[in-house]
C-alpha cells in the first residue's frame, strides 16, 4: 500500500531542493521580468505537449502576471490529437510560423517550458527570440536534456540566457522511488518555479515602487472591475485576451 503522507513529503522535499538549486537563477529571472514591466513590454511564454500546462499557468489567471503573451499552435496540444502533437513539436520550422503573428523583441522576455529541451519547436523558438534580441528563460531539466536524443542542432539549455532546472529525472516520473514509472512531477515543478518568480517580482517591484500588473480573480467581489484596466491595456497587444 502506498503511504501517501510519505509520498507527498517526498514531493515537498523535491520542491525545496528545486528552490535551493535555482536560488541564484530565480533572482536573474525576476530581474528580467521586472525589466519587462519597467519597459512596458511583454513576457512571452511557450511550451508543447504537457508543457502547455505551464503556459496556461502563466496566462490570465488569478494572481498571475497580466503582461503575458502565450505562444500557441493548436497542433501542439495533445487534446487536439495526441500522437500528432508529438510529431508537431518535432517539426522544424513551426517556431517561425508561430512567431509570424508576434515575436518578442529586445525589451521582451521569452520563457520556454520544455522538460526534454531537445525538440525543434522549443529550441528554434529560443534561437529565434535570441536573434531578435530577446532574453530567453528555459524552464527545463538539465538531466533530461543530457539524456534525450538530439533532434535539433542545439538544445534549449544552450540557447537560453537563464536556465531554471526542474531537477526532473529522465522519464518524468517519481513513483515508486526505486524504479519510477508514474506520478510525473514536471507540471508541479514548472508551476512552482513560475510562482517563485512571481513572488520575487512582486516583492522587488513593490519595494521599488513599480505597479506590478497582476490579475484578480473574477470570482471575488471587485475582481472584474479590477481587471478592466488591465484588459484595456493588454488586449490590443495580446490577442488571446479577447
Amino acid at each position: 500500500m502506498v503511504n501517501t503522507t510519505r509520498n507527498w513529503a517526498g514531493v515537498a522535499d523535491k520542491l525545496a531542493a528545486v528552490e535551493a538549486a535555482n536560488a541564484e537563477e530565480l533572482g536573474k529571472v525576476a530581474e528580467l521580468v521586472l525589466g519587462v514591466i519597467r519597459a512596458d513590454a511583454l513576457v512571452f511564454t511557450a511550451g508543447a505537449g504537457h508543457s502547455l500546462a505551464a503556459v496556461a499557468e502563466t496566462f490570465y489567471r488569478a494572481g498571475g502576471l497580466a503582461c503575458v503573451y502565450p505562444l500557441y499552435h493548436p497542433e501542439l496540444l495533445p487534446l487536439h490529437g495526441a500522437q500528432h502533437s508529438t510529431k508537431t513539436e518535432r517539426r522544424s520550422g513551426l517556431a517561425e510560423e508561430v512567431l509570424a503573428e508576434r515575436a518578442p523583441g529586445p525589451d521582451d522576455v521569452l520563457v520556454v517550458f520544455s522538460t526534454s529541451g531537445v525538440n525543434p519547436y522549443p529550441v528554434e523558438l529560443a534561437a529565434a527570440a535570441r536573434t531578435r534580441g530577446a532574453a530567453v528563460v528555459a524552464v527545463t531539466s538539465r538531466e533530461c536534456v543530457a539524456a534525450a536524443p538530439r533532434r535539433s542542432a542545439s538544445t534549449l539549455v544552450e540557447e537560453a540566457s537563464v536556465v531554471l532546472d526542474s531537477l526532473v529525472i529522465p522519464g518524468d516520473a517519481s513513483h515508486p522511488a526505486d524504479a519510477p514509472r508514474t506520478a510525473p512531477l514536471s507540471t508541479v515543478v514548472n508551476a512552482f518555479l513560475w510562482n517563485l518568480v512571481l513572488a520575487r517580482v512582486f516583492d522587488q517591484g513593490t519595494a521599488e515602487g513599480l505597479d506590478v500588473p497582476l490579475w484578480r480573480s473574477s470570482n471575488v467581489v471587485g475582481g472584474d472591475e479590477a481587471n478592466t484596466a488591465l484588459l484595456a491595456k493588454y488586449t490590443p497587444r495580446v490577442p488571446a485576451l479577447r
Side-chain angles (χ1 to χ4, degrees), residues 140-157:
T140 187
S141 162
R142 290 183 181 274
E143 186 177 352
C144 288
V145 172
R150 288 289 187 109
R151 296 192 178 95
S152 304
S154 61
T155 68
L156 185 56
V157 168

Side-chain angles (χ1 to χ4, degrees), residues 42-115:
L42 295 171
V43 176
F44 288 72
T45 60
H50 286 91
S51 290
L52 283 167
V55 177
E57 179 69 16
T58 69
F59 180 65
Y60 190 58
R61 63 149 300 138
L65 198 62
C67 53
V68 168
Y69 189 116
L71 294 170
Y72 175 69
H73 190 287
E75 294 178 37
L76 291 166
L77 184 66
L79 292 174
H80 294 162
Q83 295 178 63
H84 186 67
S85 70
T86 298
K87 294 176 183 176
T88 300
E89 67 177 305
R90 294 179 180 179
R91 191 173 87 215
S92 182
L94 180 62
E96 285 295 347
E97 291 179 33
V98 170
L99 293 174
E101 182 175 346
R102 178 71 186 268
D107 290 330
D108 302 311
V109 171
L110 170 64
V111 180
V112 183
F113 297 91
S114 175
T115 299

Side-chain angles (χ1 to χ4, degrees), residues 15-218:
L15 294 180
V18 167
E19 182 173 10
N22 289 283
E24 182 177 348
E25 289 76 12
L26 285 164
K28 293 177 182 178
V29 177
E31 185 54 41
L32 287 174
V33 174
L34 286 166
V36 168
I37 297 170
R38 296 185 193 106
D40 191 20
L42 295 171
V43 176
F44 288 72
T45 60
H50 286 91
S51 290
L52 283 167
V55 177
E57 179 69 16
T58 69
F59 180 65
Y60 190 58
R61 63 149 300 138
L65 198 62
C67 53
V68 168
Y69 189 116
L71 294 170
Y72 175 69
H73 190 287
E75 294 178 37
L76 291 166
L77 184 66
L79 292 174
H80 294 162
Q83 295 178 63
H84 186 67
S85 70
T86 298
K87 294 176 183 176
T88 300
E89 67 177 305
R90 294 179 180 179
R91 191 173 87 215
S92 182
L94 180 62
E96 285 295 347
E97 291 179 33
V98 170
L99 293 174
E101 182 175 346
R102 178 71 186 268
D107 290 330
D108 302 311
V109 171
L110 170 64
V111 180
V112 183
F113 297 91
S114 175
T115 299
S116 65
V118 296
N119 286 319
Y121 177 67
V123 174
E124 291 176 11
L125 270 182
R130 286 185 60 192
T131 298
R132 291 168 168 85
V136 176
V137 176
V139 185
T140 187
S141 162
R142 290 183 181 274
E143 186 177 352
C144 288
V145 172
R150 288 289 187 109
R151 296 192 178 95
S152 304
S154 61
T155 68
L156 185 56
V157 168
E158 293 169 317
E159 297 294 344
S161 310
V162 184
V163 176
L164 294 180
D165 191 347
S166 66
L167 304 185
V168 168
I169 64 173
D172 193 5
S174 65
H175 182 84
D178 56 345
R181 288 295 307 279
T182 190
L185 288 181
S186 63
T187 301
V188 174
V189 177
N190 287 346
F192 179 65
L193 283 167
W194 177 247
N195 285 301
L196 287 174
V197 170
L198 291 186
R200 289 186 179 223
V201 167
F202 179 80
D203 289 348
Q204 293 172 221
T206 301
E208 68 179 70
L210 273 181
D211 182 13
V212 179
L214 297 171
W215 298 110
R216 293 278 301 279
S217 171
S218 59

